[in-house]
Amino acid sequence: MAGRRRVSGSSVVALCVLLVSLVACGGRTVADPVRAEVQRVLDRRAAAVLAHDRAAYARTGTGAGFDNLSAVPLAAWSYRVTDVDRTGDTATADVELEYRVDGYDRGPVTAGRTVRLSRDGADGTWSVESDRPAKEAGQQPWDQGAVRVVRGAHSLVLGVGQSAEALRRFADLTDRAVPSVPRAWDGDWSRRVVVLVPRSLEGMAGLLGSPASSYRGIAAVTTGETGGRERAPADRVIVNPDAYELLGTLGRQVVLTHETTHVATRAHTTAATPLWLSEGYADWVGYRATDRTPSQAAPELARAVSGGRLPAQLPTDEDFGFTGDADELARAYEGGWLACRMIADQWGEDRLHAFYRAVGAHDERTGAT
């Protein structure tokens, strides 16, 4: 062919030697040796965590954090290195931690981590210097201190800076909440709940990777992935102890029943589900077995209506923003609850359940309601 030039065998060998650090002959990308070495160190570290082997853990680097998570019942723990930035004998690795709590998580929790390592000049081995949440990623409970674990019949409570007696109260309330939810919601779910109780509001914010101001006055939230059962592997109810302590006995129970409802309905809660429905339904289940009247359960909305300020529409998603006006936020929750209560009262509870599922099964938000 015109313009084609033969390359001798020796030239091919020289070319492959020249490019071997970038591309292997045959077109296969050569693995980064440092990244592979870091992965092996973290694999040994993960095995030590699962084996509760403190000595093996220390041989991979810093022993910090081992005792903090030793009480947590783990079914799986692994690291996946996604990138390594090396400078001489130091390196910073972007890592995905995946773990499952034994008996509670259908799938793994994934958490971004930043791991810093150093290399021993004598034998060239890498060791972990620090392991912290990645930028903009939330902390894990053991990042905040030693985790105390209390088991209930249907609950697992992980607390930091909390007494065993305080955590037992959370377990008891959750154990009452879990059986009450199936009386309203008959969907398939694990009927087990993991509750995280940090030391303070700041601890809650750290777990969520957000400013504390976003959750001031919020007693608890539930985290999880929406979009079908296979994408709802590991919900967590995270408590704000500062706000929770201000609630009465009924309020505390309603909050945990509300959050447990989110766990139960997660597989049917999708991007098509408006917040007035998901939050309103959770409140409807929370208040269902109580004798609270609408004016008692929805005091902010009752005051607004008494003052002639009638809602012109259902609450929007923006109305549920935690950083907005506290009274407006309360009216949003109360409006969602009243809407679900109206559906149940006028058409029956079965129709309310069917409506919730139908909305979540919709392909997109537009037209779902």
Side-chain angles (χ1 to χ4, degrees):
M1 300 179 185
R4 183 175 181 184
R5 187 161 66 94
R6 286 186 58 193
V7 181
S8 68
S10 60
S11 297
V12 171
V13 172
L15 185 62
C16 284
V17 170
L18 181 64
L19 299 179
V20 72
S21 64
L22 298 177
V23 180
C25 291
R28 297 187 302 276
T29 301
V30 176
D32 179 357
V34 175
R35 179 170 168 175
E37 290 168 13
V38 170
Q39 183 66 65
R40 285 193 289 271
V41 170
L42 294 180
D43 287 345
R44 294 198 302 272
R45 198 168 177 85
V49 169
L50 290 173
H52 299 282
D53 190 334
R54 181 183 288 101
Y57 188 85
R59 286 195 293 271
T60 66
T62 177
F66 181 86
D67 291 334
N68 286 357
L69 61 84
S70 60
V72 180
L74 295 169
W77 182 282
S78 64
Y79 300 98
R80 185 175 72 87
V81 179
T82 60
D83 192 26
V84 175
D85 182 12
R86 177 191 176 187
T87 304
D89 288 335
T90 64
T92 300
D94 295 332
V95 176
E96 285 186 356
L97 166 65
E98 287 192 348
Y99 69 91
R100 284 190 299 110
V101 172
D102 191 26
Y104 286 83
D105 294 339
R106 285 176 166 174
V109 175
T110 302
R113 309 290 293 184
T114 297
V115 179
R116 289 185 168 82
L117 307 98
S118 62
R119 189 172 66 168
D120 189 316
D123 58 13
T125 59
W126 291 93
S127 62
V128 175
E129 296 289 332
S130 65
D131 176 0
R132 297 187 175 91
K135 186 178 181 181
E136 299 182 359
Q139 296 175 328
Q140 298 301 312
W142 40 88
D143 291 322
Q144 300 183 356
V147 178
R148 187 189 297 272
V149 178
V150 171
R151 293 178 179 270
H154 307 286
S155 59
L156 185 74
V157 183
L158 310 181
V160 175
Q162 300 285 343
S163 68
E165 292 75 18
L167 299 182
R168 172 54 59 190
R169 289 194 291 272
F170 281 103
D172 291 343
L173 288 168
T174 307
D175 283 348
R176 285 196 288 273
V178 171
S180 70
V181 172
R183 298 182 191 123
W185 176 264
D186 61 359
D188 178 25
W189 63 295
S190 66
R191 290 171 170 75
R192 288 174 169 241
V193 178
V194 178
V195 181
L196 308 184
V197 188
R199 183 178 285 104
S200 63
L201 164 63
E202 286 70 23
M204 177 201 199
L207 294 173
L208 294 165
S210 299
S213 58
S214 300
Y215 301 100
R216 199 174 307 280
I218 304 299
V221 299
T222 300
T223 64
E225 297 183 31
T226 60
R229 177 178 173 182
E230 69 282 358
R231 290 175 54 82
D235 285 72
R236 298 288 187 264
V237 174
I238 304 178
V239 174
N240 172 4
D242 297 352
Y244 198 84
E245 285 301 313
L246 300 177
L247 299 174
T249 302
L250 176 61
R252 294 177 182 182
Q253 186 64 69
V254 168
V255 164
L256 278 178
T257 304
H258 172 112
E259 302 303 337
T260 300
T261 303
H262 282 315
V263 177
T265 59
R266 178 71 65 198
H268 296 274
T269 307
T270 70
T273 310
L275 286 177
W276 74 259
L277 180 56
S278 60
E279 297 298 341
Y281 186 85
D283 261 358
W284 178 79
V285 176
Y287 282 113
R288 180 173 174 270
T290 73
D291 58 359
R292 304 289 276 183
T293 65
S295 60
Q296 291 172 326
E300 292 301 329
L301 194 54
R303 275 191 283 272
V305 171
S306 296
R309 302 188 307 278
L310 306 181
Q313 61 182 10
L314 288 163
T316 66
D317 283 7
E318 289 72 23
D319 293 333
F320 288 90
F322 289 159
T323 57
D325 178 78
D327 291 344
E328 182 180 340
L329 177 62
R331 288 193 295 271
Y333 275 88
E334 293 166 3
W337 169 68
L338 279 169
C340 290
R341 182 178 184 271
M342 181 197 71
I343 294 171
D345 285 353
Q346 293 197 21
W347 290 283
E349 294 185 5
D350 289 343
R351 297 289 284 181
L352 175 58
H353 308 328
F355 176 66
Y356 194 102
R357 287 180 171 85
V359 171
H362 207 267
D363 291 335
E364 57 186 14
R365 176 69 66 88
T366 303
T369 55

